[in-house]
Amino acid sequence: MAAQDDEVSLNAIRAFVREGSVTRAATTLGTTQSSGSRYLSVLRDYLGADLIERLDDATV
C-alpha cells in the first residue's frame, strides 16, 4: 500500500472513509486487518487526532 512504514497512501485513506471499517478497508486494499490498523495509526500520528470511534457490538 505505502512506500514506507511511516507513509499512508491516498488510496488507503479513501478506503477507510468509504468502507467505515478497518477490516473492510483492509480487504478492499488487499491487505490484512493488522496492516490496515498500522496505516490508521500512522495517519493518526501524522494528523495528531483520533480518527475513529471504537464501538462494541452492544452499541451498534
Side-chain angles (χ1 to χ4, degrees):
M1 249 180 344
Q4 297 179 11
D5 287 343
D6 61 347
E7 295 179 356
V8 177
S9 73
L10 189 54
N11 285 337
I13 295 168
R14 286 182 186 131
F16 289 124
V17 171
R18 182 177 54 241
E19 298 297 340
S21 156
V22 173
T23 301
R24 287 191 308 258
T27 300
T28 296
L29 294 165
T31 190
T32 63
Q33 186 274 337
S34 177
S35 180
S37 292
R38 170 71 180 132
Y39 281 104
L40 196 58
S41 175
V42 169
L43 185 58
R44 182 193 64 226
D45 292 346
Y46 177 78
L47 295 173
D50 286 332
L51 303 172
I52 61 170
E53 180 180 350
R54 297 187 187 275
L55 302 174
D56 62 28
D57 291 337
T59 60
V60 177

